[in-house]
């Protein structure tokens, strides 16, 4: 028989535990509802513009195809019926041509006449629909940079001046937003030249003037180093040419988020914190504004959390934000999910060499990530490499899953670097 006093204590403990669990569930519901409300304010449509080539001569037609997509699912959208298209000169930002086109099942095909009177230079082809803009902004996110010349042959005769490939900018990015005293940290970096192009780099990290570790970029001027920062000490990046760059400030206390592992089914994160007592935390994973998964618990020094990848419906940049007990964002990590979920397209011609104006037969085969035949709406462009524009190398995958993310990502939808909270 359980003594009455012990029974009362067990019941009381259960009541406290249930109350804590209920409070945490209620807080999670509040957080998810708030994020869903913010996501509803984002433009429901996105547009991808495909042009027949990147460089045009005056007096010819610029053929294009526009895909009007659902911003979250990336499926063809049926909301808008009209596409607004304009050509803008650079750097004057003056519209030299404007037109509207009907949208049929999310697709627009048409052409723009490149006027003989247009001067040589760079231009932007900009598109929007009624549902592709923020309510408080006229900034367009669907833009193609094209170049117009009088004669393409003149481009070969251009003299190219010597390019300065020295490093003009060296940026550092703590994994979850901040460096915190005593917490092992990953520090990503990026080196670029005066034009903003990536530059391979080697260098070293110094602490109080003493060598701590050497580093080198792994790809396109980017790389990563690991160390445990200590507050009150001075950290500095030194490059072989003598340039120096200080590291971001080190906070004396706080909480960070670390991606500790991943496989085909899960992503494992670790919440690390300074402090003596455990506190509640909430971790939310979002993809294009959709709340895909969430977890909560208590953390003292560290806590590992596994999130299932199946909860993310497609590929792209997922945002994982860590919130404290007051539902304030304290750390954030970006991660690319499901890179395998894409079409595999092959094109085979009936022969290798052709005469001028000879008929060409091309067989196109599209499959999904499992090798199964897939239905696809494709846009095909055939042109001489001379008409490629190196200043606009994007395709529909990079536009939808990379470029557009950083164009539309706003602080209110995730971690704000001014929120320095414990």
């Amino acid at each position: 028989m359980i003594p009455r006093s012990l029974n009362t204590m067990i019941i009381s403990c259960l009541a406290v535990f249930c109350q804590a669990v209920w409070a945490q569930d209620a807080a999670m519901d509040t957080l998810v509802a708030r994020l869903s409300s913010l996501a509803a304010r984002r433009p429901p449509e996105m547009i991808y513009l495909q042009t027949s080539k990147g460089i045009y001569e005056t007096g010819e037609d610029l053929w294009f195809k526009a895909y009007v997509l659902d911003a979250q699912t990336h499926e063809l959208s049926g909301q808008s019926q009209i596409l607004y298209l304009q050509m803008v000169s650079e750097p004057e930002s003056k519209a030299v041509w404007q037109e509207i086109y009907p949208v049929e099942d999310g697709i627009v095909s048409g052409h723009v006449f490149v006027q003989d009177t247009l001067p040589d230079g760079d231009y932007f082809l900009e598109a929007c629909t009624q549902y592709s803009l923020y309510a408080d902004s006229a900034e367009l996110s669907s833009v193609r940079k094209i170049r117009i010349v009088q004669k393409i042959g003149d481009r070969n005769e251009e003299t190219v001046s010597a390019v300065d490939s020295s490093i003009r900018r060296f940026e550092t990015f703590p994994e979850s937003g901040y460096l915190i005293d005593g917490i092992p940290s990953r520090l990503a970096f990026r080196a670029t030249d005066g034009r903003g192009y990536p530059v391979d780099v080697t260098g070293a990290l110094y602490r109080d003037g003493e060598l701590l570790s050497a580093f080198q970029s792994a790809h396109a001027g980017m790389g990563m180093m690991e160390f445990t920062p200590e507050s009150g000490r001075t950290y500095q990046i030194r490059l072989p040419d003598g340039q120096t760059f200080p590291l971001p400030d080190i906070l004396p206390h706080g909480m960070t988020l670390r991606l500790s592992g991943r496989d085909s089914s899960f992503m494992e994160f670790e919440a690390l914190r300074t402090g003596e007592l455990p506190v509640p935390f909430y971790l939310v994973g979002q993809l294009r504004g959709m709340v895909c998964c969430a977890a909560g618990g208590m953390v003292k020094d560290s806590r590992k959390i596994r999130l299932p990848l199946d909860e993310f419906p497609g590929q792209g940049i997922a945002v994982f934000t860590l919130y404290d007990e007051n539902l304030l964002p304290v750390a954030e990590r970006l991660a690319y999910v499901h890179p395998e979920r894409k079409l595999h397209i092959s094109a085979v011609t009936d022969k290798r060499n052709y005469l001028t104006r000879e008929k060409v037969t091309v067989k196109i085969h599209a499959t999904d990530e499992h090798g199964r035949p897939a239905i696809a709406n494709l846009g095909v462009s055939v042109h001489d490499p001379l008409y490629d524009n190196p200043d606009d190398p994007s395709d529909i995958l990079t536009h939808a899953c990379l470029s557009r993310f950083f164009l539309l990502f706003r602080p209110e939808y995730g971690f704000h670097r001014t929120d320095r909270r414990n």
Side-chain angles (χ1 to χ4, degrees), residues 45-50 64-69 79-86 97-104 106-110 112 125-132 140 142:
E45 288 183 341
M46 62 159 288
I47 306 166
Y48 174 71
L49 282 172
Q50 180 183 10
F64 73 91
K65 187 174 183 180
Y67 299 85
V68 183
L69 307 174
Q79 284 189 271
S80 294
Q81 303 301 314
I82 297 294
L83 176 80
Y84 301 88
L85 190 68
Q86 67 178 7
W97 177 91
Q98 293 177 321
E99 188 58 90
I100 60 175
Y101 294 85
V103 181
E104 297 183 6
I107 298 291
V108 179
S109 296
V112 178
L125 196 63
E126 302 177 342
C128 69
T129 66
Q130 179 183 356
Y131 301 105
S132 67
L140 301 179
S142 180

mmCIF file of all heavy atoms in Angstrom, residues 45-50 64-69 79-86 97-104 106-110 112 125-132 140 142:
data_model
loop_
_atom_site.group_PDB
_atom_site.id
_atom_site.type_symbol
_atom_site.label_atom_id
_atom_site.label_comp_id
_atom_site.label_asym_id
_atom_site.label_seq_id
_atom_site.Cartn_x
_atom_site.Cartn_y
_atom_site.Cartn_z
ATOM 1 N N GLU A 45 3.008 33.544 -55.748
ATOM 2 C CA GLU A 45 3.519 33.102 -57.042
ATOM 3 C C GLU A 45 4.969 33.531 -57.247
ATOM 4 O O GLU A 45 5.422 34.524 -56.677
ATOM 5 C CB GLU A 45 2.672 33.668 -58.191
ATOM 6 C CG GLU A 45 1.306 33.046 -58.321
ATOM 7 C CD GLU A 45 0.545 33.579 -59.517
ATOM 8 O OE1 GLU A 45 0.894 34.671 -60.036
ATOM 9 O OE2 GLU A 45 -0.419 32.911 -59.948
ATOM 10 N N MET A 46 5.677 32.759 -58.035
ATOM 11 C CA MET A 46 7.008 33.135 -58.497
ATOM 12 C C MET A 46 7.069 32.901 -59.999
ATOM 13 O O MET A 46 6.284 32.135 -60.559
ATOM 14 C CB MET A 46 8.093 32.307 -57.807
ATOM 15 C CG MET A 46 8.007 30.813 -58.085
ATOM 16 S SD MET A 46 9.557 29.949 -57.784
ATOM 17 C CE MET A 46 10.523 30.534 -59.174
ATOM 18 N N ILE A 47 7.989 33.595 -60.668
ATOM 19 C CA ILE A 47 8.090 33.522 -62.126
ATOM 20 C C ILE A 47 9.526 33.190 -62.513
ATOM 21 O O ILE A 47 10.476 33.745 -61.945
ATOM 22 C CB ILE A 47 7.679 34.854 -62.779
ATOM 23 C CG1 ILE A 47 6.289 35.276 -62.316
ATOM 24 C CG2 ILE A 47 7.723 34.758 -64.299
ATOM 25 C CD1 ILE A 47 5.961 36.713 -62.633
ATOM 26 N N TYR A 48 9.654 32.296 -63.464
ATOM 27 C CA TYR A 48 10.969 32.046 -64.065
ATOM 28 C C TYR A 48 10.897 32.400 -65.541
ATOM 29 O O TYR A 48 9.990 31.959 -66.257
ATOM 30 C CB TYR A 48 11.399 30.588 -63.901
ATOM 31 C CG TYR A 48 12.681 30.296 -64.649
ATOM 32 C CD1 TYR A 48 13.892 30.807 -64.198
ATOM 33 C CD2 TYR A 48 12.677 29.541 -65.824
ATOM 34 C CE1 TYR A 48 15.071 30.566 -64.885
ATOM 35 C CE2 TYR A 48 13.855 29.296 -66.506
ATOM 36 C CZ TYR A 48 15.050 29.810 -66.040
ATOM 37 O OH TYR A 48 16.208 29.582 -66.722
ATOM 38 N N LEU A 49 11.849 33.210 -65.986
ATOM 39 C CA LEU A 49 11.938 33.623 -67.376
ATOM 40 C C LEU A 49 13.046 32.860 -68.082
ATOM 41 O O LEU A 49 14.193 32.846 -67.610
ATOM 42 C CB LEU A 49 12.229 35.127 -67.480
ATOM 43 C CG LEU A 49 11.068 36.091 -67.251
ATOM 44 C CD1 LEU A 49 11.590 37.520 -67.190
ATOM 45 C CD2 LEU A 49 10.029 35.956 -68.351
ATOM 46 N N GLN A 50 12.715 32.229 -69.193
ATOM 47 C CA GLN A 50 13.714 31.578 -70.035
ATOM 48 C C GLN A 50 13.757 32.323 -71.369
ATOM 49 O O GLN A 50 12.728 32.527 -72.012
ATOM 50 C CB GLN A 50 13.381 30.109 -70.279
ATOM 51 C CG GLN A 50 14.411 29.413 -71.168
ATOM 52 C CD GLN A 50 14.029 27.973 -71.461
ATOM 53 O OE1 GLN A 50 12.929 27.542 -71.159
ATOM 54 N NE2 GLN A 50 14.938 27.224 -72.058
ATOM 55 N N PHE A 64 10.965 34.299 -75.639
ATOM 56 C CA PHE A 64 11.012 33.959 -74.224
ATOM 57 C C PHE A 64 9.879 32.997 -73.874
ATOM 58 O O PHE A 64 8.885 32.858 -74.601
ATOM 59 C CB PHE A 64 10.900 35.216 -73.357
ATOM 60 C CG PHE A 64 9.519 35.811 -73.325
ATOM 61 C CD1 PHE A 64 8.592 35.432 -72.360
ATOM 62 C CD2 PHE A 64 9.127 36.752 -74.273
ATOM 63 C CE1 PHE A 64 7.311 35.965 -72.340
ATOM 64 C CE2 PHE A 64 7.851 37.292 -74.257
ATOM 65 C CZ PHE A 64 6.941 36.902 -73.290
ATOM 66 N N LYS A 65 10.054 32.352 -72.730
ATOM 67 C CA LYS A 65 9.015 31.522 -72.130
ATOM 68 C C LYS A 65 9.004 31.824 -70.641
ATOM 69 O O LYS A 65 10.066 31.880 -70.002
ATOM 70 C CB LYS A 65 9.287 30.045 -72.378
ATOM 71 C CG LYS A 65 8.153 29.115 -71.928
ATOM 72 C CD LYS A 65 8.435 27.674 -72.352
ATOM 73 C CE LYS A 65 7.279 26.744 -71.984
ATOM 74 N NZ LYS A 65 7.547 25.337 -72.399
ATOM 75 N N ALA A 66 7.823 32.047 -70.093
ATOM 76 C CA ALA A 66 7.694 32.359 -68.670
ATOM 77 C C ALA A 66 6.893 31.261 -67.979
ATOM 78 O O ALA A 66 5.840 30.838 -68.474
ATOM 79 C CB ALA A 66 7.009 33.710 -68.480
ATOM 80 N N TYR A 67 7.394 30.810 -66.848
ATOM 81 C CA TYR A 67 6.705 29.824 -66.020
ATOM 82 C C TYR A 67 6.196 30.547 -64.771
ATOM 83 O O TYR A 67 6.989 31.085 -63.994
ATOM 84 C CB TYR A 67 7.645 28.699 -65.607
ATOM 85 C CG TYR A 67 8.224 27.908 -66.757
ATOM 86 C CD1 TYR A 67 9.371 28.341 -67.413
ATOM 87 C CD2 TYR A 67 7.633 26.722 -67.174
ATOM 88 C CE1 TYR A 67 9.916 27.610 -68.472
ATOM 89 C CE2 TYR A 67 8.164 25.996 -68.214
ATOM 90 C CZ TYR A 67 9.300 26.444 -68.862
ATOM 91 O OH TYR A 67 9.829 25.717 -69.897
ATOM 92 N N VAL A 68 4.887 30.568 -64.582
ATOM 93 C CA VAL A 68 4.280 31.152 -63.392
ATOM 94 C C VAL A 68 3.984 30.010 -62.427
ATOM 95 O O VAL A 68 3.123 29.158 -62.694
ATOM 96 C CB VAL A 68 2.993 31.924 -63.736
ATOM 97 C CG1 VAL A 68 2.433 32.591 -62.483
ATOM 98 C CG2 VAL A 68 3.280 32.974 -64.814
ATOM 99 N N LEU A 69 4.710 29.967 -61.314
ATOM 100 C CA LEU A 69 4.690 28.826 -60.412
ATOM 101 C C LEU A 69 4.139 29.196 -59.048
ATOM 102 O O LEU A 69 4.238 30.352 -58.605
ATOM 103 C CB LEU A 69 6.106 28.259 -60.241
ATOM 104 C CG LEU A 69 6.874 27.919 -61.515
ATOM 105 C CD1 LEU A 69 8.303 27.510 -61.163
ATOM 106 C CD2 LEU A 69 6.175 26.818 -62.291
ATOM 107 N N GLN A 79 -3.471 30.907 -60.665
ATOM 108 C CA GLN A 79 -4.072 32.118 -60.110
ATOM 109 C C GLN A 79 -4.091 33.273 -61.111
ATOM 110 O O GLN A 79 -5.128 33.854 -61.378
ATOM 111 C CB GLN A 79 -3.321 32.548 -58.847
ATOM 112 C CG GLN A 79 -3.634 31.713 -57.611
ATOM 113 C CD GLN A 79 -3.035 32.330 -56.362
ATOM 114 O OE1 GLN A 79 -1.902 32.050 -56.004
ATOM 115 N NE2 GLN A 79 -3.801 33.174 -55.705
ATOM 116 N N SER A 80 -2.930 33.628 -61.639
ATOM 117 C CA SER A 80 -2.837 34.814 -62.486
ATOM 118 C C SER A 80 -3.234 34.518 -63.922
ATOM 119 O O SER A 80 -2.946 33.436 -64.451
ATOM 120 C CB SER A 80 -1.404 35.372 -62.450
ATOM 121 O OG SER A 80 -1.085 35.855 -61.164
ATOM 122 N N GLN A 81 -3.860 35.509 -64.544
ATOM 123 C CA GLN A 81 -4.252 35.409 -65.948
ATOM 124 C C GLN A 81 -3.446 36.349 -66.839
ATOM 125 O O GLN A 81 -3.479 36.230 -68.058
ATOM 126 C CB GLN A 81 -5.745 35.748 -66.090
ATOM 127 C CG GLN A 81 -6.666 34.884 -65.242
ATOM 128 C CD GLN A 81 -6.538 33.407 -65.556
ATOM 129 O OE1 GLN A 81 -6.517 33.005 -66.723
ATOM 130 N NE2 GLN A 81 -6.437 32.583 -64.520
ATOM 131 N N ILE A 82 -2.698 37.280 -66.228
ATOM 132 C CA ILE A 82 -1.942 38.280 -66.985
ATOM 133 C C ILE A 82 -0.505 38.330 -66.480
ATOM 134 O O ILE A 82 -0.255 38.341 -65.268
ATOM 135 C CB ILE A 82 -2.572 39.684 -66.849
ATOM 136 C CG1 ILE A 82 -3.980 39.697 -67.440
ATOM 137 C CG2 ILE A 82 -1.710 40.734 -67.536
ATOM 138 C CD1 ILE A 82 -4.028 39.487 -68.940
ATOM 139 N N LEU A 83 0.452 38.369 -67.416
ATOM 140 C CA LEU A 83 1.865 38.564 -67.102
ATOM 141 C C LEU A 83 2.283 39.939 -67.597
ATOM 142 O O LEU A 83 2.019 40.311 -68.752
ATOM 143 C CB LEU A 83 2.726 37.489 -67.766
ATOM 144 C CG LEU A 83 4.239 37.647 -67.573
ATOM 145 C CD1 LEU A 83 4.645 37.133 -66.191
ATOM 146 C CD2 LEU A 83 5.017 36.912 -68.657
ATOM 147 N N TYR A 84 2.942 40.701 -66.742
ATOM 148 C CA TYR A 84 3.464 42.023 -67.096
ATOM 149 C C TYR A 84 4.963 41.889 -67.358
ATOM 150 O O TYR A 84 5.700 41.373 -66.519
ATOM 151 C CB TYR A 84 3.211 43.023 -65.966
ATOM 152 C CG TYR A 84 1.756 43.178 -65.619
ATOM 153 C CD1 TYR A 84 1.160 42.339 -64.674
ATOM 154 C CD2 TYR A 84 0.972 44.146 -66.233
ATOM 155 C CE1 TYR A 84 -0.183 42.471 -64.345
ATOM 156 C CE2 TYR A 84 -0.375 44.289 -65.913
ATOM 157 C CZ TYR A 84 -0.945 43.448 -64.969
ATOM 158 O OH TYR A 84 -2.280 43.578 -64.655
ATOM 159 N N LEU A 85 5.389 42.355 -68.532
ATOM 160 C CA LEU A 85 6.792 42.192 -68.936
ATOM 161 C C LEU A 85 7.329 43.538 -69.400
ATOM 162 O O LEU A 85 6.642 44.297 -70.096
ATOM 163 C CB LEU A 85 6.897 41.168 -70.062
ATOM 164 C CG LEU A 85 8.303 40.700 -70.453
ATOM 165 C CD1 LEU A 85 8.920 39.878 -69.325
ATOM 166 C CD2 LEU A 85 8.251 39.863 -71.728
ATOM 167 N N GLN A 86 8.563 43.838 -69.008
ATOM 168 C CA GLN A 86 9.202 45.065 -69.460
ATOM 169 C C GLN A 86 10.703 44.856 -69.612
ATOM 170 O O GLN A 86 11.287 43.955 -68.995
ATOM 171 C CB GLN A 86 8.936 46.217 -68.492
ATOM 172 C CG GLN A 86 9.583 46.068 -67.129
ATOM 173 C CD GLN A 86 9.321 47.260 -66.227
ATOM 174 O OE1 GLN A 86 8.542 48.149 -66.559
ATOM 175 N NE2 GLN A 86 9.969 47.303 -65.075
ATOM 176 N N TRP A 97 10.657 49.260 -73.063
ATOM 177 C CA TRP A 97 9.615 48.471 -73.712
ATOM 178 C C TRP A 97 8.761 47.826 -72.631
ATOM 179 O O TRP A 97 9.266 47.372 -71.599
ATOM 180 C CB TRP A 97 10.265 47.413 -74.606
ATOM 181 C CG TRP A 97 9.307 46.487 -75.281
ATOM 182 C CD1 TRP A 97 8.722 46.643 -76.509
ATOM 183 C CD2 TRP A 97 8.804 45.255 -74.755
ATOM 184 N NE1 TRP A 97 7.896 45.587 -76.779
ATOM 185 C CE2 TRP A 97 7.924 44.717 -75.727
ATOM 186 C CE3 TRP A 97 9.008 44.564 -73.572
ATOM 187 C CZ2 TRP A 97 7.261 43.524 -75.538
ATOM 188 C CZ3 TRP A 97 8.347 43.366 -73.375
ATOM 189 C CH2 TRP A 97 7.483 42.852 -74.355
ATOM 190 N N GLN A 98 7.446 47.783 -72.830
ATOM 191 C CA GLN A 98 6.520 47.161 -71.885
ATOM 192 C C GLN A 98 5.403 46.465 -72.653
ATOM 193 O O GLN A 98 5.000 46.921 -73.728
ATOM 194 C CB GLN A 98 5.909 48.213 -70.947
ATOM 195 C CG GLN A 98 6.893 48.845 -69.986
ATOM 196 C CD GLN A 98 6.240 49.935 -69.143
ATOM 197 O OE1 GLN A 98 5.424 50.705 -69.634
ATOM 198 N NE2 GLN A 98 6.608 49.986 -67.867
ATOM 199 N N GLU A 99 4.903 45.353 -72.093
ATOM 200 C CA GLU A 99 3.815 44.625 -72.739
ATOM 201 C C GLU A 99 3.161 43.710 -71.713
ATOM 202 O O GLU A 99 3.743 43.401 -70.658
ATOM 203 C CB GLU A 99 4.347 43.808 -73.917
ATOM 204 C CG GLU A 99 3.289 43.156 -74.789
ATOM 205 C CD GLU A 99 2.315 44.143 -75.387
ATOM 206 O OE1 GLU A 99 2.567 44.657 -76.482
ATOM 207 O OE2 GLU A 99 1.284 44.376 -74.696
ATOM 208 N N ILE A 100 1.916 43.289 -71.995
ATOM 209 C CA ILE A 100 1.236 42.302 -71.156
ATOM 210 C C ILE A 100 0.898 41.085 -72.015
ATOM 211 O O ILE A 100 0.687 41.208 -73.231
ATOM 212 C CB ILE A 100 -0.046 42.869 -70.514
ATOM 213 C CG1 ILE A 100 -1.044 43.320 -71.587
ATOM 214 C CG2 ILE A 100 0.287 44.016 -69.570
ATOM 215 C CD1 ILE A 100 -2.372 43.764 -71.012
ATOM 216 N N TYR A 101 0.887 39.914 -71.372
ATOM 217 C CA TYR A 101 0.641 38.656 -72.079
ATOM 218 C C TYR A 101 -0.362 37.824 -71.295
ATOM 219 O O TYR A 101 -0.363 37.843 -70.054
ATOM 220 C CB TYR A 101 1.938 37.859 -72.233
ATOM 221 C CG TYR A 101 2.968 38.504 -73.120
ATOM 222 C CD1 TYR A 101 3.844 39.457 -72.603
ATOM 223 C CD2 TYR A 101 3.071 38.167 -74.464
ATOM 224 C CE1 TYR A 101 4.803 40.053 -73.409
ATOM 225 C CE2 TYR A 101 4.028 38.757 -75.280
ATOM 226 C CZ TYR A 101 4.883 39.702 -74.748
ATOM 227 O OH TYR A 101 5.820 40.299 -75.554
ATOM 228 N N PRO A 102 -1.213 37.074 -71.982
ATOM 229 C CA PRO A 102 -2.127 36.167 -71.276
ATOM 230 C C PRO A 102 -1.378 34.946 -70.745
ATOM 231 O O PRO A 102 -0.459 34.432 -71.404
ATOM 232 C CB PRO A 102 -3.144 35.783 -72.349
ATOM 233 C CG PRO A 102 -2.396 35.919 -73.642
ATOM 234 C CD PRO A 102 -1.440 37.060 -73.441
ATOM 235 N N VAL A 103 -1.764 34.496 -69.576
ATOM 236 C CA VAL A 103 -1.175 33.303 -68.957
ATOM 237 C C VAL A 103 -2.143 32.146 -69.158
ATOM 238 O O VAL A 103 -3.314 32.235 -68.795
ATOM 239 C CB VAL A 103 -0.910 33.518 -67.453
ATOM 240 C CG1 VAL A 103 -0.272 32.268 -66.846
ATOM 241 C CG2 VAL A 103 -0.023 34.729 -67.229
ATOM 242 N N GLU A 104 -1.659 31.060 -69.726
ATOM 243 C CA GLU A 104 -2.484 29.881 -69.949
ATOM 244 C C GLU A 104 -1.903 28.705 -69.176
ATOM 245 O O GLU A 104 -0.811 28.223 -69.500
ATOM 246 C CB GLU A 104 -2.559 29.545 -71.442
ATOM 247 C CG GLU A 104 -3.227 30.631 -72.278
ATOM 248 C CD GLU A 104 -3.342 30.240 -73.736
ATOM 249 O OE1 GLU A 104 -2.994 29.079 -74.053
ATOM 250 O OE2 GLU A 104 -3.758 31.085 -74.555
ATOM 251 N N GLY A 106 -0.458 28.600 -66.392
ATOM 252 C CA GLY A 106 0.839 28.898 -65.794
ATOM 253 C C GLY A 106 1.977 29.088 -66.781
ATOM 254 O O GLY A 106 3.125 29.231 -66.358
ATOM 255 N N ILE A 107 1.704 29.128 -68.082
ATOM 256 C CA ILE A 107 2.750 29.236 -69.095
ATOM 257 C C ILE A 107 2.482 30.450 -69.991
ATOM 258 O O ILE A 107 1.339 30.720 -70.367
ATOM 259 C CB ILE A 107 2.816 27.970 -69.976
ATOM 260 C CG1 ILE A 107 3.153 26.741 -69.120
ATOM 261 C CG2 ILE A 107 3.832 28.129 -71.100
ATOM 262 C CD1 ILE A 107 4.562 26.744 -68.563
ATOM 263 N N VAL A 108 3.547 31.163 -70.335
ATOM 264 C CA VAL A 108 3.486 32.265 -71.293
ATOM 265 C C VAL A 108 4.618 32.093 -72.285
ATOM 266 O O VAL A 108 5.768 31.869 -71.893
ATOM 267 C CB VAL A 108 3.625 33.641 -70.605
ATOM 268 C CG1 VAL A 108 3.582 34.766 -71.647
ATOM 269 C CG2 VAL A 108 2.534 33.847 -69.570
ATOM 270 N N SER A 109 4.311 32.172 -73.570
ATOM 271 C CA SER A 109 5.339 32.135 -74.614
ATOM 272 C C SER A 109 5.142 33.353 -75.504
ATOM 273 O O SER A 109 4.009 33.713 -75.853
ATOM 274 C CB SER A 109 5.241 30.862 -75.451
ATOM 275 O OG SER A 109 5.506 29.717 -74.659
ATOM 276 N N GLY A 110 6.229 34.000 -75.877
ATOM 277 C CA GLY A 110 6.108 35.185 -76.719
ATOM 278 C C GLY A 110 7.457 35.691 -77.167
ATOM 279 O O GLY A 110 8.480 35.014 -77.024
ATOM 280 N N VAL A 112 9.876 39.557 -77.971
ATOM 281 C CA VAL A 112 10.068 40.999 -77.866
ATOM 282 C C VAL A 112 10.936 41.432 -79.041
ATOM 283 O O VAL A 112 11.974 40.816 -79.312
ATOM 284 C CB VAL A 112 10.770 41.375 -76.547
ATOM 285 C CG1 VAL A 112 11.001 42.874 -76.467
ATOM 286 C CG2 VAL A 112 9.975 40.879 -75.352
ATOM 287 N N LEU A 125 15.310 42.079 -68.362
ATOM 288 C CA LEU A 125 13.964 41.663 -68.716
ATOM 289 C C LEU A 125 13.271 41.301 -67.415
ATOM 290 O O LEU A 125 13.697 40.373 -66.711
ATOM 291 C CB LEU A 125 14.018 40.471 -69.667
ATOM 292 C CG LEU A 125 12.742 40.138 -70.444
ATOM 293 C CD1 LEU A 125 12.367 41.284 -71.381
ATOM 294 C CD2 LEU A 125 12.906 38.849 -71.219
ATOM 295 N N GLU A 126 12.216 42.056 -67.064
ATOM 296 C CA GLU A 126 11.560 41.915 -65.771
ATOM 297 C C GLU A 126 10.101 41.499 -65.950
ATOM 298 O O GLU A 126 9.415 42.008 -66.834
ATOM 299 C CB GLU A 126 11.614 43.234 -64.997
ATOM 300 C CG GLU A 126 13.027 43.745 -64.777
ATOM 301 C CD GLU A 126 13.075 45.089 -64.069
ATOM 302 O OE1 GLU A 126 12.034 45.782 -64.042
ATOM 303 O OE2 GLU A 126 14.146 45.443 -63.553
ATOM 304 N N ALA A 127 9.654 40.580 -65.108
ATOM 305 C CA ALA A 127 8.285 40.074 -65.212
ATOM 306 C C ALA A 127 7.631 40.023 -63.840
ATOM 307 O O ALA A 127 8.301 39.838 -62.817
ATOM 308 C CB ALA A 127 8.269 38.681 -65.839
ATOM 309 N N CYS A 128 6.317 40.205 -63.827
ATOM 310 C CA CYS A 128 5.568 40.067 -62.583
ATOM 311 C C CYS A 128 4.115 39.729 -62.913
ATOM 312 O O CYS A 128 3.654 39.895 -64.058
ATOM 313 C CB CYS A 128 5.631 41.350 -61.739
ATOM 314 S SG CYS A 128 4.733 42.745 -62.435
ATOM 315 N N THR A 129 3.411 39.230 -61.916
ATOM 316 C CA THR A 129 1.962 39.011 -61.994
ATOM 317 C C THR A 129 1.322 39.719 -60.807
ATOM 318 O O THR A 129 2.012 40.282 -59.944
ATOM 319 C CB THR A 129 1.601 37.516 -61.946
ATOM 320 O OG1 THR A 129 1.958 37.000 -60.649
ATOM 321 C CG2 THR A 129 2.331 36.731 -63.029
ATOM 322 N N GLN A 130 0.033 39.644 -60.742
ATOM 323 C CA GLN A 130 -0.697 40.258 -59.638
ATOM 324 C C GLN A 130 -0.309 39.661 -58.297
ATOM 325 O O GLN A 130 -0.357 40.334 -57.263
ATOM 326 C CB GLN A 130 -2.203 40.082 -59.864
ATOM 327 C CG GLN A 130 -3.084 40.650 -58.768
ATOM 328 C CD GLN A 130 -4.553 40.378 -59.016
ATOM 329 O OE1 GLN A 130 -4.915 39.824 -60.049
ATOM 330 N NE2 GLN A 130 -5.406 40.762 -58.072
ATOM 331 N N TYR A 131 0.129 38.392 -58.315
ATOM 332 C CA TYR A 131 0.397 37.692 -57.069
ATOM 333 C C TYR A 131 1.883 37.383 -56.847
ATOM 334 O O TYR A 131 2.213 36.556 -56.004
ATOM 335 C CB TYR A 131 -0.396 36.379 -57.037
ATOM 336 C CG TYR A 131 -1.888 36.571 -57.168
ATOM 337 C CD1 TYR A 131 -2.534 36.277 -58.364
ATOM 338 C CD2 TYR A 131 -2.644 37.054 -56.110
ATOM 339 C CE1 TYR A 131 -3.911 36.449 -58.498
ATOM 340 C CE2 TYR A 131 -4.010 37.236 -56.227
ATOM 341 C CZ TYR A 131 -4.642 36.934 -57.423
ATOM 342 O OH TYR A 131 -5.996 37.116 -57.559
ATOM 343 N N SER A 132 2.774 38.034 -57.571
ATOM 344 C CA SER A 132 4.198 37.727 -57.414
ATOM 345 C C SER A 132 4.957 38.810 -56.660
ATOM 346 O O SER A 132 6.178 38.724 -56.519
ATOM 347 C CB SER A 132 4.852 37.521 -58.786
ATOM 348 O OG SER A 132 4.881 38.738 -59.519
ATOM 349 N N LEU A 140 10.906 43.577 -58.120
ATOM 350 C CA LEU A 140 10.646 42.361 -58.877
ATOM 351 C C LEU A 140 11.712 41.314 -58.568
ATOM 352 O O LEU A 140 12.891 41.630 -58.430
ATOM 353 C CB LEU A 140 10.642 42.661 -60.377
ATOM 354 C CG LEU A 140 9.619 43.705 -60.852
ATOM 355 C CD1 LEU A 140 9.739 43.912 -62.354
ATOM 356 C CD2 LEU A 140 8.215 43.276 -60.503
ATOM 357 N N SER A 142 11.739 38.339 -60.503
ATOM 358 C CA SER A 142 11.962 37.571 -61.730
ATOM 359 C C SER A 142 12.621 38.477 -62.759
ATOM 360 O O SER A 142 11.969 39.299 -63.396
ATOM 361 C CB SER A 142 10.644 37.021 -62.262
ATOM 362 O OG SER A 142 10.867 36.278 -63.443
#
